Amino acid sequence: MTRRLGLFMMLCTLIMTTPAWADRNGVSWGELNQEEQKVLQPFAGRWDQLQPERRERLCRGAERWLGMSPEEKDQARQRFKRWQQLPPEKRELIRRRFDEFRSLPPQEQERIRSRYQWFRSLPSEQRRSLRERWQNMTPAERRDFRQQIRPGRRQGR
């Protein structure tokens, strides 16, 4: 039972991060293969009452889940556990920011992803130092700092 609950919670996390690529009719329960039905079992009793877009997102989430390695599934479970431990206000802030991100043009989204990857590639001590520095900056200093760390430029120039 705990394993099913964990799978259900993980699936909900995947749904939140999966775009709605739904067709008009959605997917019927009978169209799902056995593996998908097993993953989506918590929804079986009310599948036909779900909005078509929701069913499609659940299917895509199940596909992603089934395609993950055991290590990826463990990481996803850990992320979901951290998500659940966040206060509701923090989760709402994250949802709003994610919606804002999705509304950006693709080039801007890619720029943000690239900068995030750059930041994650830094040694943890350097990330911590940059975070502290950022938190102590004024808005004008932050604007200047953003200009300073544009791709192709090295920090400190």
Side-chain angles (χ1 to χ4, degrees):
M1 186 63 175
T2 306
R3 184 171 169 90
R4 278 196 180 167
L5 182 59
L7 286 173
F8 171 73
M9 291 185 297
M10 185 65 253
L11 189 58
C12 290
T13 300
L14 290 172
I15 291 166
M16 289 178 12
T17 61
T18 303
W21 298 335
D23 60 19
R24 290 187 180 262
N25 301 320
V27 177
S28 72
W29 187 257
E31 291 177 87
L32 302 173
N33 65 40
Q34 280 187 327
E35 289 179 318
E36 291 169 329
Q37 286 182 359
K38 185 176 179 181
V39 171
L40 297 170
Q41 185 60 42
F43 299 97
R46 57 192 171 104
W47 186 259
D48 293 335
Q49 285 79 44
L50 296 174
Q51 292 290 324
E53 298 84 15
R54 178 102 188 270
R55 283 185 269 165
E56 187 66 27
R57 285 194 311 269
L58 284 167
C59 288
R60 294 203 186 278
E63 279 179 35
R64 286 178 61 196
W65 180 259
L66 292 168
M68 289 181 181
S69 69
E71 296 80 20
E72 290 170 324
K73 288 178 180 178
D74 286 342
Q75 290 172 354
R77 284 186 193 102
Q78 291 171 11
R79 282 192 305 270
F80 186 71
K81 186 176 182 179
R82 285 193 309 268
W83 172 259
Q84 285 185 305
Q85 292 171 346
L86 291 173
E89 307 80 36
K90 180 76 171 176
R91 281 187 268 174
E92 182 57 33
L93 176 65
I94 292 169
R95 284 185 190 106
R96 276 197 320 266
R97 287 186 176 164
F98 184 68
D99 288 341
E100 290 172 14
F101 175 79
R102 287 193 313 189
S103 70
L104 294 173
Q107 303 91 332
E108 184 68 8
Q109 289 181 22
E110 184 54 39
R111 186 188 69 76
I112 291 169
R113 282 187 192 103
S114 172
R115 297 315 297 158
Y116 178 73
Q117 289 303 322
W118 169 81
F119 181 77
R120 295 298 302 163
S121 71
L122 296 173
S124 61
E125 183 59 32
Q126 193 173 358
R127 287 194 314 260
R128 185 191 60 71
S129 174
L130 284 172
R131 231 183 257 112
E132 288 175 6
R133 184 175 165 194
W134 178 263
Q135 290 168 351
N136 294 321
M137 288 181 184
T138 65
E141 290 171 328
R142 288 180 179 183
R143 185 185 59 246
D144 292 343
F145 184 72
R146 280 189 201 107
Q147 291 298 319
Q148 181 182 351
I149 62 169
R150 290 257 186 239
R153 295 196 59 168
R154 293 194 157 217
Q155 183 185 347
R157 276 190 171 173

